């Protein structure tokens, strides 16, 4: 028997991957969670039928959510990750030499539990002594902390289910207040081919809160369209003013000092979306 | 009844698109040709079961094969396109103000015929008076013309079927000789996620022929991994030395003067492939 997992990325288009076995499938308190072992991309975390991460291409998303902001802040000591229970962003955050403390707040403890068990190469960093893991509502955590973090990263699912409130102006305002006076915020903000309106509205909302707003992209094969956007809001530092020579060469596979400024140069149709 | 077209991009991974209708399906002398109408990407040209182009995302591939080389050459008057019978690259070539003559050589006249009929927005430029269309073997055409073209673009399928000989050192040597003394060559060279060895061997071969070799990428949602590479071989001009201000702003949707140098900055794992 051949088993194939198909994600309908839109109503009329999808990706399909041959599956060796299903490692876990569970309806958690918040979402439908599965980890499957695929022949092309290795183990794959799937939430509400959407591919969240795979062993083969996870490094792109995790590096590209973490490093552009960390390289922009001159001294990122305290970092918060909202969502991201698989631990991949935390692993990247800990590569930065300045980071003293990284807090992870994911609403779904099952994502953390099963990622540790079945995706140790991604989730292993959650056991680092610099990391505090909280199973909690990220929206509430943000609103309970003021002037505390240097960098806040939002590693959410798409705006369905528990992630809906993470795509609101009120959330961005809360993040602004949870950041120190020179803090930086970054979030994954979906793709411009199928979700142009979402990117536009997020961009508009973040601009109302942060004085410096920049969008960059990365190629993620298992995400819709293969091109993912990230939106950065900054109180003081502009990522485009960071010198390549000031960025440490780290143990990465996608991000590099050379890529730092180039990833902010957008295709024309994406530039036009943000006008 | 729901009809879905699935391309297995690798043995274990693919894309799937809902189909409204099949407009043409024919075994030509060279390949299995189909044009289908999909709900997400519009009309789609499929050769030997591989998506060649779609109405929704075709602009990326066609602009990005044509414009980086045209912007690098200070006066590209005579341009040759090998393959590309759908006419999309020719359409982009004609946007450049210096081009006086564009020659298209595709081995399969049926691709040209059906593209004109079913993909007029892409193939319409083939009727321009500056264009000469030849139904012929590109490999032979290259070897019959010496010192004639300013820019040669290879718009081939992947190296299966008739395109195998377009991925050989002998072909690149022929292109070198068909170019004028300051000519530039560019080819689509597949993706680094599933075809790393191909990119490495093409890069090695082109380096043996051309003194300046540069690789750049673009995001194409319907191509495997969503990230496509292009390899440029140049006798004299380096695309990285082109000033943004020297590039004309044209009627494009992906390429722009701002993107010209940024598209050559590669993710670290792709840099490593080319070392």
């Amino acid at each position: 028997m051949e088993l194939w997992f198909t994600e309908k990325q839109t109503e009329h288009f999808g990706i399909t991957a041959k599956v060796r076995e299903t490692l876990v499938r569970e309806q958690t308190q918040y979402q439908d969670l599965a980890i499957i072992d695929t022949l092309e991309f290795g183990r794959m975390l799937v939430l509400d039928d959407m591919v969240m991460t795979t062993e083969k291409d996870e490094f792109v998303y995790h590096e590209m959510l973490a490093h552009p902001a960390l390289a922009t802040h001159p001294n990122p000591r305290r970092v918060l990750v909202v969502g991201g229970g698989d631990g991949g962003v935390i692993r990247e955050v800990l590569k930065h030499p300045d980071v003293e403390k990284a807090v992870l707040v994911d609403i779904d403890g099952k994502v953390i539990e099963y990622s540790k068990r079945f995706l140790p190469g991604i989730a292993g960093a959650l056991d680092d002594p610099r990391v505090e893991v909280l199973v909690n509502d990220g929206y509430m955590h943000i609103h309970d902390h003021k002037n505390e973090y240097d960098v806040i990263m939002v590693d959410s699912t798409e705006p369905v289910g528990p992630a809906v409130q993470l795509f609101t102006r009120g959330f961005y305002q809360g993040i602004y207040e949870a950041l120190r006076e020179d803090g930086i915020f970054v979030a994954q903000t979906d793709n411009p081919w199928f979700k142009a309106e979402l990117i536009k509205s997020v961009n508009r909302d973040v601009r109302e809160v942060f004085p410096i707003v920049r969008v960059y992209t990365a190629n993620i094969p298992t995400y819709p369209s293969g091109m993912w956007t990230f939106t950065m809001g900054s109180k003081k530092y502009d990522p485009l003013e960071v010198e390549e020579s000031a960025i440490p060469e780290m143990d990465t596979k996608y991000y590099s000092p050379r890529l730092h400024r180039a990833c902010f140069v957008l295709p024309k149709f994406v530039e036009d979306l943000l006008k």
Side-chain angles (χ1 to χ4, degrees), chain A:
Chain A
M1 183 189 83
E2 287 204 359
L3 202 63
W4 289 74
F5 160 67
T6 300
E7 177 187 339
K8 284 177 75 173
Q9 299 179 326
T10 73
E11 195 184 343
H12 305 303
F13 186 74
I15 56 171
T16 187
K18 193 171 175 182
V19 175
R20 199 178 278 116
E21 62 173 321
T22 300
L23 299 165
V24 59
R25 178 81 192 273
E26 184 171 322
Q27 182 66 43
T28 75
Q29 192 181 342
Y30 299 100
Q31 50 209 342
D32 178 341
L33 182 160
I35 298 177
I36 56 179
D37 188 15
T38 70
L39 283 84
E40 187 63 58
F41 284 94
R43 292 183 177 186
M44 186 181 267
L45 171 65
V46 181
L47 297 178
D48 286 339
D49 300 321
M50 293 178 287
V51 177
M52 288 296 112
T53 201
T54 82
E55 288 180 317
K56 184 170 177 173
D57 71 351
E58 57 89 9
F59 66 92
V60 183
Y61 177 81
H62 295 135
E63 291 180 13
M64 292 302 285
L65 187 58
H67 294 303
L70 293 172
T72 300
H73 197 292
N75 185 19
R77 282 179 297 170
R78 288 180 69 85
V79 177
L80 171 67
V81 177
V82 177
D86 56 59
V89 174
I90 289 285
R91 181 193 63 203
E92 295 305 314
V93 166
L94 294 180
K95 287 181 184 172
H96 198 283
D98 293 344
V99 172
E100 294 168 2
K101 171 140 190 161
V103 178
L104 179 97
V105 182
D106 195 306
I107 200 167
D108 194 341
K110 290 290 184 183
V111 174
I112 299 167
E113 177 189 333
Y114 286 121
S115 295
K116 282 187 172 184
R117 184 161 154 205
F118 292 111
L119 302 167
I122 302 173
L126 293 174
D127 294 323
D128 188 283
R130 288 166 289 175
V131 178
E132 181 180 1
V133 177
L134 303 171
V135 178
N136 214 330
D137 182 336
Y139 194 91
M140 293 307 295
H141 181 89
I142 285 285
H143 283 274
D144 289 345
H145 292 75
K146 305 288 179 200
N147 191 34
E148 187 163 327
Y149 295 105
D150 297 306
V151 180
I152 296 177
M153 300 170 181
V154 180
D155 177 7
S156 68
T157 59
E158 292 184 63
V160 292
V164 168
Q165 62 181 356
L166 305 185
F167 287 82
T168 61
R169 192 183 170 292
F171 183 58
Y172 305 135
Q173 184 62 43
I175 284 175
Y176 185 92
E177 291 164 20
L179 285 168
R180 290 184 175 152
E181 76 284 355
D182 60 352
I184 300 176
F185 148 73
V186 62
Q188 73 83 5
T189 46
D190 222 304
N191 81 88
W193 288 95
F194 306 135
K195 294 291 184 65
E197 287 309 313
L198 175 69
I199 291 175
K200 285 172 80 158
S201 79
V202 167
N203 198 254
R204 198 164 45 231
D205 288 345
V206 177
R207 275 182 197 286
E208 285 181 15
V209 176
F210 286 89
I212 299 166
V213 180
R214 306 286 183 207
V215 174
Y216 60 97
T217 69
N219 159 247
I220 304 171
T222 55
Y223 281 11
S225 88
M227 175 161 65
W228 216 245
T229 73
F230 301 84
T231 300
M232 191 186 293
S234 179
K235 291 189 178 184
K236 183 172 176 186
Y237 308 113
D238 187 340
L240 300 185
E241 288 172 5
V242 176
E243 289 298 327
E244 187 180 313
S245 59
I247 303 173
E249 186 80 46
M250 284 169 297
D251 176 27
T252 55
K253 289 188 280 184
Y254 192 96
Y255 179 80
S256 75
R258 297 164 294 291
L259 196 74
H260 179 86
R261 279 205 264 189
C263 70
F264 288 90
V265 182
L266 303 173
K268 203 166 174 179
F269 80 103
V270 184
E271 283 182 341
D272 290 344
L273 270 186
L274 302 175
K275 271 177 187 162

